[in-house]
Amino acid sequence: MRSLTFVFGTGRSGSTALSRILNSHPDVLSLNEFMASVGDASFPAGKVGGEEFWQALSDPAPHFERMIRSGLPLPEFLHTSRPGRYSGRTTAGIPALSLMVLPHLTDDPDALLDELGAEVVQWPQRAAAEHHRALYGLLCARFGRTAVVERSGYSTGWAPGLREAFPEARFVHMFRDGPDCALSMSRHPGYRAIALLREIKTRAGIDSFGELTPEHLRALPPDLAPLLDDRFDPALVRDRDIPLRTFGTLWSQLVNEGTEFLTGLPADRRTTLAYEDLLDRPAEELTRLAEFIGVDPVPSWLKAGSALLDHSRRGSALSLPAAELAELRESCAPGTRVLEGRVSPPA
C-alpha cells in the first residue's frame, strides 16, 4: 500500500459516482462506504486479535439491518440488489463488509468474504488501526492495487477520528451546491431517517442515543418513537412531511464541520473537490485528484471516468417553486458562505 486517502463530506454530492470512477483506476483500491459499513465497532480500544477484529467487520451493521428489515433499504445497498448467500430477512443478516464494500470490488462478494475471513482471524493482537492497515494491504495485494481510497457518504463526523488513527492519511472534502444537495437528501430514505433521528435527539435533549431513557421514549410522539424499534413502518420515514429547510440546515452544518476539519490539516494532506467542478472540468479535476492520491492520471481512465458522471443532476433545485427555493437557499446560506472562503487545493 503506497498511500491512504479518505474522501469525506455530506453525501448526495456525486461521491458514489466518484467511488465508481476511482474503482476503474488500475492502481486504486476503492473502499466504497467502508466506514459507513463498519463504523466505530471496527475501532475497539486497546489491542485486539484477528478474530475480534473480523467479528467487527462481519457482524451486520445494526442501523442498516433495521432499515432492511423494515422494508426501507438504501439504493447504496449493493448486496440487496445482487443478493448472495445473505439476506436482511434472515436472523443472521448481511455482514457489514458484504453490504456495500465487497460487491463494489467483485462480482462474488461471498467468496471474497470467506477468503478475507480465513486470513484475518489468524492475525495477532494489535491496535485496530494496524488491523485496518493490514486489511487494506491484503486487499491491495488481492486486486493488484497500490493506493487506497475510502469514501463514505455522510462522513464528516468520521474525519477527526480517522486523522487520529491514520496520521499519514490524506483527506479530500467533497461537496455539492447546497440547494441541489439538500433537495437530494430530502428524497433519500437514509437522509430522511437521519433527519428524524436528529429530531428525536433534539426533542429528548440528548447528544447520543446511549443517553435515551424509557422516560424519553414515552415522551416522543407516536410517529417518531417506533423508528427506534427493530422493525418499523417504512411510511413513517417515506411519507412524513419534513421541511426542505431541515436538509438545508443539515447541509450547512456538515459543510461547516468538513471545512473546519480540513483547515487544521497540513497543506499537503488536504484538498477539496466540488461536484460542479468535476462536471465542468472532469479531466482536469480527476487529474488533480489522481496526483493528490499518488497515482498516474491514466488517459483511458480519465475518459472512462468522465463518462460516468451524470450531468442531469445539476441545478435540480431550480425546479422548485420560487418561495421554496428561496427558503432552501436561506437555510443553505451559512454553508455557502463557508465554502466561498474554502481552503484552496494544494498547488
Side-chain angles (χ1 to χ4, degrees), residues 19 54 69 87 102 134 145 255 267 270 284 287 295 335 345:
S19 279
W54 181 247
R69 281 196 300 269
S87 166
L102 301 187
R145 311 297 173 99
V255 161
R270 70 188 187 203
E284 179 182 332
T287 294
V295 296

Side-chain angles (χ1 to χ4, degrees), residues 264-287:
L265 298 179
D268 64 342
R269 297 287 170 180
R270 70 188 187 203
T271 195
T272 58
L273 181 61
Y275 179 58
E276 290 72 23
D277 291 346
L278 190 57
L279 293 179
D280 290 341
R281 303 181 298 277
E284 179 182 332
E285 288 298 288
L286 290 176
T287 294

